[in-house]
């Protein structure tokens, strides 16, 4: 099986995540995308999410439940580690399913500093990176990853300029977010902020 791993804070998950996941599935002719909400991202250790671990996990569940090719994993949320390191997640999935071919879906904003990720060389020996475009970021392999250029694929997809950060700001300001989210996630959030 071809499996795409899609990690992130998903605070909250929005339609941009769903579109990118679907397009990567088509592009790679993959069998499934596994969404993996992180407990604490190493690069966001000082930022408190708006939603709890359980709420973020539930929102991902709600947003993907009508797509048989999408799954959610609680691996990082349930981990006893304080910080979610991608290499441990990759290690888990590749050990658990040694016959599957794995890809890691990341945004173009993460590619520039990917060499700063813990054990990034290990990650790139186990999976291929699939990079989706983000506004203001290049779609070229950075010099720091030149030796792994054969392990990096770029999605030629429309630029979806939606971010969880801007959605959180709108929620806090009491602005409408219905068109940024799956309708079930919107209803879930609406119930929390009445």
């Amino acid at each position: 099986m071809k499996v795409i791993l899609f990690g992130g804070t998903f605070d909250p998950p929005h339609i941009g995540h769903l579109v990118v996941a679907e397009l990567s599935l088509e592009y790679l002719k993959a069998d499934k995308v596994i969404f993996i909400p992180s407990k604490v991202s190493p690069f966001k250790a000082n930022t408190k999410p708006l939603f709890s671990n359980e709420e973020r996990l539930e929102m991902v569940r709600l947003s993907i439940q009508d797509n048989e090719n999408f799954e959610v994993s609680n691996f990082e949320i349930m981990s006893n580690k304080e910080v979610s390191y991608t290499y441990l997640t990759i290690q888990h999935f590749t050990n658990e399913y040694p016959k599957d071919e794995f890809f890691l879906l990341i945004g173009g904003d993460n590619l520039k500093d990917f060499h700063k990720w813990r054990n990034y060389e290990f990650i790139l020996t186990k999976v291929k990176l699939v990079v989706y475009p983000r506004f203001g970021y290049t779609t070229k392999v950075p010099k720091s990853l030149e030796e792994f250029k054969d392990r990096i694929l770029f999605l030629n997809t429309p630029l979806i300029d939606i971010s969880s950060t801007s959605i959180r700001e709108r929620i806090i300001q009491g602005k409408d977010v219905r068109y940024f989210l799956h309708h079930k996630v919107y209803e879930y959030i609406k119930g929390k902020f009445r």
Side-chain angles (χ1 to χ4, degrees), residues 1-4 25 28-32 100-103:
M1 276 179 59
K2 274 188 176 181
V3 181
I4 300 166
L25 198 69
L28 294 168
K29 297 181 173 52
D31 298 286
K32 65 180 168 183
D100 290 347
E101 182 182 5
F102 285 96
F103 298 83

Side-chain angles (χ1 to χ4, degrees), residues 73-92:
S73 167
N74 64 0
F75 174 75
E76 291 188 3
I77 296 275
M78 299 304 289
S79 167
N80 59 6
K81 306 282 184 205
E82 285 303 308
V83 174
S84 301
Y85 288 110
T86 301
Y87 83 93
L88 293 172
T89 304
I90 300 294
Q91 195 171 51
H92 164 75

Side-chain angles (χ1 to χ4, degrees), residues 48-109:
K48 188 175 177 352
L50 182 60
F51 298 97
S52 71
N53 292 340
E54 294 72 24
E55 287 170 336
R56 292 184 293 113
L57 195 59
E58 180 59 19
M59 285 188 289
V60 172
R61 276 197 190 105
L62 289 169
S63 65
I64 67 168
Q65 67 185 181
D66 54 359
N67 189 324
E68 62 184 13
N69 301 116
F70 289 173
E71 291 179 16
V72 62
S73 167
N74 64 0
F75 174 75
E76 291 188 3
I77 296 275
M78 299 304 289
S79 167
N80 59 6
K81 306 282 184 205
E82 285 303 308
V83 174
S84 301
Y85 288 110
T86 301
Y87 83 93
L88 293 172
T89 304
I90 300 294
Q91 195 171 51
H92 164 75
F93 280 98
T94 54
N95 286 347
E96 198 77 13
Y97 307 99
K99 292 183 179 172
D100 290 347
E101 182 182 5
F102 285 96
F103 298 83
L104 179 65
L105 183 59
I106 67 167
D109 52 330

Side-chain angles (χ1 to χ4, degrees), residues 8 20 24-25 38-39 54 69 79 85 119 133 138 146 152 163 174:
V20 163
S24 65
L25 198 69
S38 59
K39 185 189 275 185
E54 294 72 24
N69 301 116
S79 167
Y85 288 110
N119 294 339
T138 183
E146 188 67 34
I152 302 171
S163 74

Side-chain angles (χ1 to χ4, degrees), residues 8 23 33 44 70-71 73 75 83 85 97-98 103 108 112 130 136 145-146 149 170 172 177 191:
L23 291 172
V33 177
K44 297 179 181 174
F70 289 173
E71 291 179 16
S73 167
F75 174 75
V83 174
Y85 288 110
Y97 307 99
F103 298 83
K112 173 175 65 81
V130 182
L145 298 175
E146 188 67 34
K149 65 183 177 194
R170 290 182 67 83
I172 291 164
V177 292

